Amino acid sequence: MEAVKKDHWYFVVLVFLPFLKVAVQQGEAVHTVRLEEGMILDCLCPWEGNLSMVSWTKIPDKDPVAVFHPEYGVAFSYQYRERIEFLRKTPMDGSISLKNVTHQDIGIYHCSVQTFPQGPWTRNIQVEDLDEPPEEEEDDFTQAPTPEVLKTDTELVAELNDNLTISCNPTHNATVLQVIMEKMVHEQQWSIIGVCKKVEGGLVGEDYSDRGRIGCADSLDVSLHLVYVEQEDGGFYRCTFSTDTGIQTTTVTLTVTAPGWFSLSTYMLYIYFGAGAASLVLLVVIIIVAARHRKRNRREEYRVKLHPSQRQKWRQWQRE
């Protein structure tokens, strides 16, 4: 019962966290940090208390970066995975360090420290660099692969205003510990839209989606429930499974069409059915022609076997 209460409280915090961040960041000073390898973004709460959770986002779009919870652990957005470390030098420290930095890391980062009993404390940090970006920056590994090189495991087609559920299943049998669902945005980067993970006492779900509702199944399969599908919902979705045997990834492609749209697969299906029907008709015609030809041959054989005196009667009977 206590674990259920903790989970319920955790969900309440996740729901109201964006409103808390907006309320406290008005008029807040922005601290500047130079872009460099191993740079540290300080987020040390100045007062004493109990730390409930630390969340980092990149503004103005509030893109998720990293989350720390004293009981549930850490979660990272895909482009920051294995690049961010929570320093945790003191109990109220939410600072992080960032490695393998690129010019894509330039921007404003928002740190929100949820504490009890005094409430939230936040800080904005501007990461900037006066140097020009190197020319090879476009090939940096933090960029998501372009759609042309993505391997799609499942292809879905939905019409506008349809209801649809997008879900991923692991490709191999393994014990799943955590699932992260992401959507490709701007054809370049992945953005986390949902997380399902196992904790002591049950499952914890984190919903970052602006469209639809994230659900977590008992099998730790994360799904996105879309109501009234929009054109912008189309694209690539990816589920990353953290298992006891390693990392597994599945990719889903969603194509959104206008109502009554005739898909290529449906067109090919009609072609197959049409070809099958035509083949059946041709076979029936061949059987009928063959039967008539065989019947005619039998009559001719019978006529040849007749006595010359009977052939005249046979021809007369045929004319009649």
Side-chain angles (χ1 to χ4, degrees):
M1 185 67 182
E2 184 178 355
V4 173
K5 290 182 178 179
K6 287 182 180 179
D7 292 347
H8 177 71
W9 171 85
Y10 187 44
F11 282 118
V12 171
V13 171
L14 289 174
V15 170
F16 287 99
L17 183 58
F19 301 97
L20 294 175
K21 291 187 291 186
V22 172
V24 296
Q25 72 182 32
Q26 300 294 333
E28 181 180 340
V30 178
H31 302 267
T32 301
V33 173
R34 184 179 181 85
L35 179 72
E36 60 183 356
E37 181 64 21
M39 64 182 180
I40 294 177
L41 307 185
D42 286 317
C43 184
L44 179 59
C45 182
W47 59 63
E48 295 182 356
N50 294 320
L51 186 144
S52 303
M53 187 170 64
V54 179
S55 65
W56 283 88
T57 56
K58 196 172 182 182
I59 56 180
D61 297 329
K62 298 181 182 179
D63 295 329
V65 174
V67 177
F68 169 80
H69 191 281
E71 181 178 354
Y72 303 136
V74 297
F76 303 101
S77 181
Y78 177 80
Q79 58 265 38
Y80 298 100
R81 198 173 302 159
E82 298 182 358
R83 299 175 56 218
I84 285 183
E85 179 184 1
F86 279 92
L87 301 182
R88 304 289 300 144
K89 293 182 179 179
T90 66
M92 303 297 285
D93 187 8
S95 304
I96 59 175
S97 63
L98 189 64
K99 63 181 181 179
N100 296 328
V101 298
T102 72
H103 282 75
Q104 292 182 349
D105 296 322
I106 292 176
I108 300 178
Y109 294 80
H110 180 78
C111 174
S112 177
V113 181
Q114 305 297 318
T115 71
F116 181 84
Q118 297 198 48
W121 180 84
T122 66
R123 192 181 200 194
N124 287 339
I125 299 177
Q126 170 75 52
V127 175
E128 61 182 24
D129 190 1
L130 301 178
D131 299 332
E132 291 294 331
E135 295 181 359
E136 63 272 16
E137 190 68 11
E138 297 179 357
D139 297 328
D140 188 81
F141 76 97
T142 59
Q143 291 185 351
T146 57
E148 290 76 10
V149 299
L150 281 176
K151 178 181 178 296
T152 301
D153 300 290
T154 304
E155 296 183 3
L156 301 177
V157 177
E159 291 186 356
L160 284 173
N161 300 322
D162 274 355
N163 298 335
L164 178 71
T165 298
I166 302 175
S167 60
C168 303
N169 295 304
T171 55
H172 303 287
N173 294 328
T175 301
V176 181
L177 307 175
Q178 176 178 276
V179 187
I180 298 177
M181 190 174 195
E182 300 165 290
K183 184 180 189 301
M184 178 177 282
V185 295
H186 309 306
E187 298 184 354
Q188 287 296 326
Q189 296 184 355
W190 294 96
S191 177
I192 293 179
I193 58 177
V195 179
C196 289
K197 54 187 174 181
K198 239 175 223 183
V199 298
E200 186 177 354
L203 300 176
V204 169
E206 301 172 10
D207 192 343
Y208 300 107
S209 173
D210 294 330
R211 284 279 304 135
R213 179 174 56 86
I214 293 294
C216 290
D218 293 337
S219 57
L220 253 188
D221 179 26
V222 62
S223 58
L224 174 64
H225 307 279
L226 295 173
V227 179
Y228 299 114
V229 171
E230 299 177 358
Q231 196 68 47
E232 293 74 15
D233 295 326
F236 291 90
Y237 295 82
R238 176 174 64 186
C239 292
T240 302
F241 296 84
S242 299
T243 72
D244 56 348
T245 60
I247 301 296
Q248 300 178 17
T249 301
T250 60
T251 304
V252 178
T253 303
L254 172 61
T255 302
V256 180
T257 65
W261 180 78
F262 204 66
S263 67
L264 178 61
S265 58
T266 305
Y267 177 73
M268 294 303 298
L269 187 62
Y270 279 125
I271 289 180
Y272 293 148
F273 276 126
S279 300
L280 181 60
V281 171
L282 181 61
L283 179 61
V284 171
V285 171
I286 292 174
I287 292 175
I288 293 175
V289 172
R292 289 182 177 179
H293 184 70
R294 184 177 180 184
K295 184 176 181 181
R296 187 178 302 137
N297 289 342
R298 286 182 176 177
R299 287 179 179 178
E300 185 65 21
E301 291 175 359
Y302 178 75
R303 185 185 65 81
V304 171
K305 293 179 181 179
L306 290 176
H307 189 273
S309 62
Q310 294 177 326
R311 290 178 186 174
Q312 185 66 26
K313 294 181 180 180
W314 171 262
R315 292 193 186 97
Q316 184 177 359
W317 178 79
Q318 287 287 346
R319 295 193 192 100
E320 295 175 354

